[in-house]
Amino acid sequence: MNTLRAVSRLAIRARPARSFVRTYADAAGPADKIRLSLTLPHQTIYKASDVVQVNIPAESGDMGILANHVPSIEQLRPGLMEIIEEGAGGSKQFFLSGGFAVVQPDSQLSVNAVEAYPIEDFSAEAIRAQLAEANKVASGSGSEQDIAEAKIEIEVLEALQAAMK
Amino acid sequence: MVAAWKTAGLTYNKYLAIAARVVRRSLKDQPRLAAERRGQMELKFAKWENGKQGDMKQLSTQGQ
């Protein structure tokens, strides 16, 4: 330990001290971009890609995240996530089943969800059929747990329907 | 505000599993088949006593 300290002290003397301070900004990409990682348990959709803006369905309300956003942790409700990329890529929309988003101080955004699919992969027909079924269960005389499950399904399906419009 | 699923005694994990299951079921046929295969899991267990395996018990499957 002492040797290490001695060496580092020497090193500091040899060069201007500032070069040893590694700030968050050094690790981050372009200043006006947010570095997005969108990961599922079984797949990585975005891996540290620089994008312009990300809109996420947080439990506390929809929010748009740009570069240099305040660090925060948000719980996500089932909903639509929009990723705005630079240039011809335009924007991409994914439906998330719920998870968490973490904004780090160096303009990094990690979104973790259980399932995420492009909105065009969903079938309006399947959603309608399931919604009818879930509504029947929710207003039926099943156990409290069955009703609670049906209510979760309704929440997800209604969010899906709204997202597909 | 406490979520309705919480008052019904469901855990957050269970809530996420249900939401994910319903998302998988809402997909178009091709991605749905691939996704539903992935969502299936099963767990069975047996208790060992005095060096002998007891009855094999199946825990209910999820995500089907």
Side-chain angles (χ1 to χ4, degrees):
Chain A
M1 190 62 219
N2 274 337
T3 359
L4 187 66
R5 207 172 284 157
V7 169
S8 64
R9 209 177 292 139
L10 273 178
I12 288 171
R13 216 173 288 145
R15 277 191 250 166
R18 187 179 288 166
S19 66
F20 284 87
V21 184
R22 186 167 177 274
T23 61
Y24 282 116
D26 296 337
D32 57 339
K33 294 279 163 52
I34 181 129
R35 188 156 279 184
L36 169 72
S37 298
L38 172 56
T39 44
L40 316 179
H42 51 88
Q43 194 192 353
T44 305
I45 300 179
Y46 281 83
K47 190 177 177 187
S49 317
D50 289 324
V51 299
V52 177
Q53 185 184 343
V54 184
N55 299 335
I56 55 168
E59 197 72 61
S60 55
D62 289 355
M63 53 194 279
I65 296 176
L66 292 159
N68 303 314
H69 192 278
V70 185
S72 48
I73 301 177
E74 295 288 337
Q75 186 184 330
L76 304 177
R77 57 194 162 71
L80 197 64
M81 172 187 187
E82 193 174 14
I83 298 159
I84 297 155
E85 288 176 54
E86 177 129 272
S91 89
K92 290 204 178 84
Q93 294 182 315
F94 290 90
F95 190 89
L96 309 186
S97 74
F100 280 90
V102 182
V103 187
Q104 280 162 357
D106 55 347
S107 280
Q108 281 199 66
L109 169 64
S110 311
V111 180
N112 303 295
V114 183
E115 295 287 356
Y117 281 93
I119 192 70
E120 57 269 17
D121 274 4
F122 289 93
S123 143
E125 188 51 48
I127 295 167
R128 243 195 319 274
Q130 286 189 91
L131 195 54
E133 180 64 30
N135 273 317
K136 216 189 300 169
V137 176
S139 56
S141 55
S143 69
E144 197 190 356
Q145 176 149 0
D146 288 343
I147 291 174
E149 289 194 14
K151 281 187 176 154
I152 297 171
E153 294 184 357
I154 292 171
E155 180 197 347
V156 177
L157 292 165
E158 283 179 345
L160 255 173
Q161 252 178 355
M164 284 184 79
K165 269 172 197 153
Chain B
M1 194 199 86
V2 181
W5 50 266
K6 208 171 221 173
T7 21
L10 294 181
T11 59
Y12 180 65
N13 241 347
K14 183 81 181 159
Y15 165 77
L16 270 188
I18 294 167
R21 186 182 65 196
V22 94
V23 165
R24 282 193 291 269
R25 283 180 183 165
S26 307
L27 290 165
K28 284 178 184 163
D29 283 347
Q30 211 175 347
R32 195 192 74 227
L33 290 175
E36 285 188 341
R37 256 201 306 280
R38 199 184 55 230
Q40 273 166 13
M41 56 170 174
E42 56 181 300
L43 179 66
K44 50 188 176 182
F45 71 98
K47 197 168 182 177
W48 288 68
E49 257 172 274
N50 301 324
K52 286 213 173 65
Q53 187 180 355
D55 285 344
M56 193 76 93
K57 280 183 200 142
Q58 188 99 26
L59 281 185
S60 64
T61 51
Q62 272 191 3
Q64 36 179 283

